[in-house]
DNA sequence: GTAGGGTTAG
């Protein structure tokens, strides 16, 4: 019976809609309505309808404040400035055209005596887009005071505002209230926006609950949750949800690809992208940026060219797409190919701050300080405003090249000339810059002069410098702070113990190692990867001899070491920070993952080709020396990307000039 | 009106 009633109800609404829907002067169902709403005869209604469509049409082409003002004057002349529908349209145009909603939009709005819910909503949306959160909530409050019932639109606009303010409490309150008012509490739009809000505010569980309670879900609901899990580092749950999707569109696939990239799983990202292509899902700019980033993380050149090809074939050429182009620059430089990066940079017609910054960072991590500084000047000349990332690039370049004065000059100029306040990242670069040249005390002074409390990465940069300059005293100062800020950061304990080891303070070494054991922390294994002949990837872990061609690798490596020794190479035993015999130290050094990766590459790739090795930790002095020698003896170019920067080994020397 | 995105190093 009840069901029948409902069907009748909706049928009734459908039937009468064209007759009773007042197309213009929609009045609020409030107490004034009956007395004050003017009666419009049917003949006039027809005319007004025509006018309405004419004005709507004009509004669509409003592209500036002047045009909007003209349109508004016209609306007033025609006597339609009280019409919620028309004014709502005007407000929507105002937010599109970048005219401030406050005060112009508000003044237009306040001329309407009886605003309907859609007009209120247009104002709330407009204020939200302008970032005027408080104002949009105030409008909502006055809407409720006036007895105007919010519609589904209103709720999505408000929830979006709450999400941008990270105020899930208020969002929940507003939603709860609307549930009481009835009707649309969990319609798909509201539900999806609610999920998104909870997720963006970090209330993943609440988001999940909304998802579970929604009577109907669509792809958007699923994708929102997939993204939430991915951002939370839970790719397992993301994958589970994704697998459960009967129909997967481009956005859902892209969410997975990007999710893997954000969780530093580039191989899985590539894998998903390939699957996505196999099932014939289209690729757009966003997908491409994801794959390109995956490739940057992998750092292997064969994939780089393939990805660029895919981009071109999908119709996104760096020539006319600044986003794809900038991402490609970053990718090529992280794959060790500055030529590739440069080539893309030159072909790009539009260059923005991302483009320049990517190229600047590219030069910086390859140690080309002069090119970095030149490009920075060019960018300024062309009126592209640098941002904080640009300065990270410039400062990194100064740091890698030991240009202390220049770096300090740039650091000061940042705020004075460009109004960019130094952030942690910039302090980090400066500590690194001072620390690398041995000015540990100065670096410490800089940290102590910071206007905000120094964070872990700043202290970490100092600790790293203490390792290079074997300074256990300053190291202890940094370590004390780090242990407070990152009690579970294994790297800090290892660094400190290595610094003690260098200084021969073995008792302190064992104390530091005991601390690690007590905390149950596990060391990150060191590994390297290298491309095989067919673009396949081979991973080598330090001391792991399970590669199928381990026997040959061992043999060739010993052979290579013997040849290097004839050339004057002497294993640098001080790189082994264990208190063991020299023989054992030599064995440990030989099993460093980058050496094994090199031996494998020499074994399997053709002469004349550059060998590219990517590793997860910083290259040690002995391996650096070894690579220099190997590049001379074998006459192969060797490019190693460690977690800091690139080293190009060529004919016995390295591009970093042994300063890294 | 609702979902996926660009440049950061140690």
């Amino acid at each position: 019976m009840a069901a029948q009633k409902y069907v009748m109800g909706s049928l009734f609404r459908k039937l009468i809609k064209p007759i009773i829907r007042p197309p213009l002067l929609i009045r609020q169902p409030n107490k004034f309505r009956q007395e004050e709403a003017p009666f419009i005869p049917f003949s006039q209604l027809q005319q007004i309808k025509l006018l309405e469509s004419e004005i709507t049409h004009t509004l669509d082409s409003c592209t500036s404040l002047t045009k909007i003002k003209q349109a508004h004057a016209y609306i007033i002349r025609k006597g339609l400035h009280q019409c919620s529908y028309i004014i709502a349209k005007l407000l929507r145009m105002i937010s599109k055209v970048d005219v401030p909603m406050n005060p112009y939009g508000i003044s237009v709005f306040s001329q309407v005596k009886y605003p309907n819910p859609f007009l209120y909503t247009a104002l709330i949306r407009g204020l939200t887009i302008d970032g005027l959160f408080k104002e949009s909530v105030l409008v909502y409050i006055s809407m409720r005071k006036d007895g105007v019932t919010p519609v589904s639109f209103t709720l999505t606009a408000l929830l979006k505002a709450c999400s941008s303010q990270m105020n899930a409490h208020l969002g929940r309150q507003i939603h709860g209230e609307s549930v009481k008012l009835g009707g649309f509490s969990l319609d798909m739009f509201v539900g999806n926006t609610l999920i998104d809000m909870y997720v963006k505010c970090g209330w993943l569980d609440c988001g999940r609950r909304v998802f579970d309670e929604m009577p109907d879900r669509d792809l958007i609901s699923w994708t929102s949750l997939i993204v939430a899990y991915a951002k939370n580092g839970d790719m397992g749950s993301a994958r589970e949800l994704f697998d459960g999707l009967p129909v997967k569109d481009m956005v859902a696939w892209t969410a997975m690809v990007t999710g893997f990239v954000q969780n530093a799983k580039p191989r899985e990202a590539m894998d998903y992208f390939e699957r996505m292509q196999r099932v014939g899902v289209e690729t757009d700019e966003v997908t491409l940026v994801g794959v390109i980033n995956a490739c940057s993380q992998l750092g292997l050149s064969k994939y780089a060219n393939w990805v660029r090809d895919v981009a071109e074939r999908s119709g996104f050429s760096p020539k006319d797409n600044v986003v794809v182009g900038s991402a490609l620059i970053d990718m090529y430089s992280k794959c060790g190919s500055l030529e590739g990066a440069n080539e893309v940079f030159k072909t790009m017609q539009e260059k923005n701050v991302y483009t320049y910054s990517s190229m600047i960072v590219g030069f910086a991590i390859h140690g080309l300080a002069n090119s970095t500084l030149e490009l920075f000047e060019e960018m300024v000349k062309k009126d592209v405003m640098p941002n904080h990332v640009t300065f990270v690039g410039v400062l990194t370049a100064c740091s890698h090249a030991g240009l202390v004065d220049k770096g300090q000059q740039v650091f000061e100029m940042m705020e004075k000339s460009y109004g960019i306040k130094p952030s942690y990242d910039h302090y980090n670069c400066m500590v690194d810059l001072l620390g690398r040249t041995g000015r540990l005390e100065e670096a410490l002074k800089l940290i102590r002069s910071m206007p905000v409390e120094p964070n872990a990465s700043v202290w970490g940069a100092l600790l790293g410098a203490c390792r290079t300059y074997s300074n256990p005293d300053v190291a202890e100062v940094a370590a004390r702070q780090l242990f407070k800020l990152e009690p579970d950061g294994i790297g800090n304990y290892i660094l400190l113990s290595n610094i003690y080891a260098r200084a021969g303070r073995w008792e302190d070494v064992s104390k530091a190692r005991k601390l690690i054991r007590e905390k149950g922390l596990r060391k990150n294994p060191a590994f390297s990867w290298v491309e095989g002949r067919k673009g396949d990837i081979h991973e080598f872990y330090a001391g792991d001899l399970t590669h199928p061609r381990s026997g040959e690798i061992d043999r060739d490596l010993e052979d290579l070491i013997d040849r290097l020794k004839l050339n004057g190479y002497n294993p640098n035993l001080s790189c082994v920070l264990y208190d063991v015999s020299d023989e054992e130290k030599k064995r440990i050094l030989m099993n460093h993952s980058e050496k094994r990766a090199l031996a494998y590459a020499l074994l399997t790739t053709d002469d004349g080709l550059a060998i590219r090795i990517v590793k997860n930790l910083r290259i040690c002095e002995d391996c650096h020396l070894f690579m220099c020698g190997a590049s001379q003896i074998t006459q192969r170019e060797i490019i190693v990307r460690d977690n800091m920067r690139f080293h190009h080994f060529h004919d016995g020397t390295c591009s970093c000039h042994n300063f890294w």
Side-chain angles (χ1 to χ4, degrees), chain A residues 157-176:
Chain A
L158 281 164
L159 292 176
K160 245 194 144 171
C162 292
S163 133
S164 69
Q165 291 289 313
M166 303 290 279
N167 192 342
H169 288 283
L170 184 62
R172 185 163 63 176
Q173 201 182 328
I174 292 173
H175 177 247

Side-chain angles (χ1 to χ4, degrees), chain A residues 260-273:
Chain A
F260 282 118
V261 171
Q262 285 160 350
N263 287 291
K265 296 191 183 312
R267 288 173 76 166
E268 284 87 342
M270 290 297 236
D271 183 41
Y272 267 69
F273 179 66

Side-chain angles (χ1 to χ4, degrees), chain A residues 247-268:
Chain A
V247 183
K248 305 168 168 79
D249 69 350
M250 178 170 71
V251 179
W253 277 102
T254 306
M256 289 303 285
V257 172
T258 318
F260 282 118
V261 171
Q262 285 160 350
N263 287 291
K265 296 191 183 312
R267 288 173 76 166
E268 284 87 342

Side-chain angles (χ1 to χ4, degrees), chain A residues 60-165:
Chain A
D60 275 332
S61 58
C62 282
T63 48
S64 64
L65 180 60
T66 336
K67 282 196 171 172
I68 283 182
K69 281 190 169 166
Q70 279 169 1
H72 189 210
Y74 182 70
I75 291 168
I76 294 172
R77 271 207 305 283
K78 292 291 174 186
L80 289 176
H81 56 286
Q82 291 288 332
C83 166
S84 281
Y85 172 72
I86 298 283
I87 300 301
K89 173 91 189 175
L90 186 73
L91 291 186
R92 279 196 286 275
M93 286 321 287
I94 289 175
S95 30
K96 249 193 206 165
V97 167
D98 215 27
V99 172
M101 194 52 83
N102 188 13
Y104 186 67
I106 291 185
S107 81
V108 172
F109 172 88
S110 54
Q111 287 161 19
V112 182
K113 259 191 196 160
Y114 308 107
N116 76 1
F118 296 98
L119 180 53
Y120 272 108
T121 305
L123 184 63
I124 290 172
R125 267 188 60 77
L127 290 168
T128 307
I129 290 170
D130 287 358
L132 300 170
F133 176 66
K134 267 189 197 151
E135 286 79 351
S136 66
V137 173
L138 282 176
V139 171
Y140 173 71
I141 291 170
S142 78
M143 171 182 188
R144 300 286 301 115
K145 259 192 198 153
D146 288 348
V148 179
T149 314
V151 291
S152 174
F153 271 137
T154 326
L155 213 56
T156 49
L158 281 164
L159 292 176
K160 245 194 144 171
C162 292
S163 133
S164 69
Q165 291 289 313

Side-chain angles (χ1 to χ4, degrees), chain A residues 351-473:
Chain A
K351 297 184 177 98
N352 63 15
V353 59
Y354 290 95
T355 323
Y356 277 102
S357 303
S358 300
M359 199 64 232
I360 282 175
V361 170
F363 283 136
I365 57 178
H366 284 272
L368 299 178
N370 287 335
S371 308
T372 305
L373 294 168
E374 275 166 26
L375 192 60
F376 178 68
E377 270 173 30
E378 183 193 313
M379 158 178 198
V380 171
K381 254 186 220 153
K382 298 213 165 145
D383 280 333
V384 179
M385 187 68 182
N387 65 11
H388 58 289
V389 180
T390 322
F391 282 105
V392 169
V394 177
L395 291 175
T396 307
C398 294
S399 171
H400 286 316
L403 305 175
V404 181
D405 293 344
K406 185 72 192 170
Q408 280 174 326
Q409 194 190 325
V410 170
F411 186 71
E412 272 173 32
M413 182 179 76
M414 249 173 72
E415 191 165 6
K416 275 189 196 147
S417 312
Y418 298 95
I420 297 169
K421 271 210 176 101
S423 69
Y424 283 122
D425 299 333
H426 303 111
Y427 276 103
N428 206 345
C429 290
M430 288 308 289
V431 170
D432 193 50
L433 173 76
L434 294 168
R436 263 171 210 275
T437 43
R439 307 180 190 200
L440 298 175
E441 295 294 337
E442 261 180 82
L444 190 58
K445 223 168 115 189
L446 180 71
I447 293 181
R448 295 212 158 119
S449 78
M450 282 171 67
V452 284
E453 203 55 35
N455 67 358
S457 53
V458 175
W459 287 115
L462 184 64
L463 190 62
C466 292
R467 195 200 74 127
T468 315
Y469 287 94
S470 299
N471 186 330
D473 297 334

